[in-house]
Amino acid sequence: MAHRTALALEYHLVSYKRTWRASVFSSFALPAMFLVAMGITVGHYIDERSTSIGVPYLDYLGPGLLASTALQVAVADSTWPVFGGFNWTRVYHAMRASPLTVGDVLRGHLAFVTLRVALSSIGFLVVLALFGALHSWWALTTPLVSMLLGVACAAPCFAFAARTETDGAFAVLFRVAVVPMTLFAGVFFPVESLPVAARLLAYVSPLWHGVELSRAATLGTPTAWGLPAHVAVLAVWCAVGYVLAVRSFTRKLGD
C-alpha cells in the first residue's frame, strides 16, 4: 500500500517540477512584505499604544501568519487541483486504470499537499528568523504543526472538491470559511476580545489551534488549552476529513 501511495505522490512531484518556481515568491517574498506592512509599520503603532498582548506585535503576528499561510496553501491545493483531477485532466481516472486503489490516489495527493504546506512553512520560518521574531528552539517544530494543520484543512476540502459540480463553489468556500477564519481565529488579535458566539466558532476552527501551537513554539510560551488538546482537535479534523474524502473519492472513482 505504501509503495502504491508513493507512486501516486511521484506523479504530483514530477508535475511540481514544472511549477515550483512560482511558489518561491509566495513562500518568501509575500511573507516578508506582509510582515513589513503589518508587523513593522502597523505593529509599531500598536506597540506604542497597547501592551495587552505582552510581546512586540511583530513577534505576535508572525506565527499567526505562518499558520494562516499553511491554511491557505492547503485549501488552494485541495480545491481546484482536486476538481481538475476529476473533471479537467481526469488524472484520477487514469490512475484508477492502473493498479492504484482509490486510497492510493487520495493519499498520494494528500501527501503532496502536506509537503507543499511544509515547504511554505519552512520558507516563512526563515523569514521570521531574519526578522528576529523567533524566541525559542521550539520554533523548529512549527513545520510539523503546519503539516498537521494542513491535513486538517486539506482532507475536508478534498471531500468537498470531489463532490462539487462546479469550481465556482471554491470562491464561496474562501469567502465563508477561509477569509473569516483568517480574520477571526487569532491571527491578528486574541480571540478573547471577540463576543462569545464568535469566540466559540474560533475555538472550533482548525486555524485557531494551529495559531496557538505555532505562537507557543516561536515564543516559547504555553498554549491556551495545552498541547494535547490542540493536537487532539486537529487530529479529529484530519480523521473526519479523511473519512469523508475516502467516501467522496470512492463515489467518483468506484471501489
Side-chain angles (χ1 to χ4, degrees):
M1 180 177 67
H3 174 67
R4 294 196 303 267
T5 299
L7 292 176
L9 171 62
E10 183 181 8
Y11 163 80
H12 298 287
L13 292 175
V14 171
S15 299
Y16 188 57
K17 287 174 62 177
R18 300 193 296 268
T19 60
W20 67 270
R21 293 175 181 81
S23 67
V24 173
F25 180 78
S26 62
S27 297
F28 291 92
L30 288 180
M33 290 189 295
F34 210 101
L35 284 173
V36 170
M38 294 294 294
I40 295 181
T41 56
V42 176
H44 178 71
Y45 177 85
I46 293 175
D47 291 338
E48 286 185 338
R49 290 160 177 79
S50 174
T51 58
S52 60
I53 59 177
V55 296
Y57 189 63
L58 174 66
D59 298 351
Y60 181 87
L61 177 67
L65 290 178
L66 188 152
S68 68
T69 298
L71 162 74
Q72 293 172 30
V73 170
V75 174
D77 281 19
S78 304
T79 47
W80 283 279
V82 173
F83 183 84
F86 284 115
N87 300 281
W88 296 332
T89 63
R90 297 181 66 84
V91 67
Y92 291 149
H93 296 83
M95 289 182 177
R96 280 293 288 130
S98 72
L100 298 182
T101 66
V102 171
D104 296 328
V105 173
L106 170 59
R107 287 188 295 271
H109 197 169
L110 190 58
F112 172 74
V113 173
T114 306
L115 178 61
R116 282 273 294 117
V117 170
L119 293 175
S120 295
S121 67
I122 291 171
F124 209 125
L125 194 65
V126 170
V127 173
L128 290 179
L130 294 176
F131 276 84
L134 304 181
H135 302 279
S136 170
W137 284 105
W138 284 106
L140 296 176
T141 65
T142 52
L144 299 177
V145 173
S146 295
M147 292 169 69
L148 181 60
L149 173 61
V151 176
C153 298
C157 287
F158 268 64
F160 178 72
R163 287 182 175 269
T164 188
E165 298 297 328
T166 170
D167 65 321
F170 302 141
V172 178
L173 176 66
F174 270 83
R175 291 191 187 102
V176 304
V178 176
V179 172
M181 267 198 289
T182 302
L183 294 176
F184 302 113
V187 174
F188 300 101
F189 55 86
V191 298
E192 288 74 20
S193 60
L194 293 171
V196 174
R199 198 184 313 160
L200 292 176
L201 290 176
Y203 293 156
V204 172
S205 73
L207 180 58
W208 180 72
H209 299 278
V211 169
E212 285 294 313
L213 289 170
S214 298
R215 189 166 287 142
T218 59
L219 297 179
T221 57
T223 64
W225 290 5
L227 177 65
H230 293 297
V231 172
V233 172
L234 291 175
V236 169
W237 273 95
C238 293
V240 173
Y242 179 76
V243 170
L244 294 175
V246 169
R247 291 180 178 177
S248 299
F249 270 56
T250 302
R251 178 184 175 186
K252 281 277 192 176
L253 299 174
D255 296 331

